[in-house]
Amino acid sequence: GYGPHTIADLDARGVALAAIQGLNAKLERELAEKSAQIEALIAQAARVRAVERELEAIKSRLGAH
């Protein structure tokens, strides 16, 4: 019911919606951060593979298989 010590049903729904929106925003930020970290790791792995290929080419030229 309505009174000075109660929360109206509509108010409670608004609070719940605000909480859900806040959690969703937090989740979206965290997902964006994780996506950026994954992209950085993919780029780093590509650089490592390129260095490994270059090292193998150098070894091959030196006859150090």
Side-chain angles (χ1 to χ4, degrees):
Y2 293 99
H5 303 290
T6 61
I7 297 176
D9 183 51
L10 188 57
D11 292 337
R13 289 180 189 178
V15 170
L17 178 59
I20 290 167
Q21 289 172 333
L23 288 172
N24 186 56
K26 179 181 176 184
L27 177 60
E28 287 178 356
R29 282 191 307 273
E30 289 176 358
L31 285 173
E33 290 172 8
K34 294 298 179 191
S35 292
Q37 289 173 350
I38 289 168
E39 290 299 320
L41 288 171
I42 289 170
Q44 183 180 7
R47 289 189 301 272
V48 167
R49 286 191 302 273
V51 169
E52 288 173 340
R53 284 191 302 270
E54 188 175 338
L55 179 59
E56 287 302 315
I58 290 169
K59 284 180 179 180
S60 178
R61 278 182 272 171
L62 294 175
H65 275 317

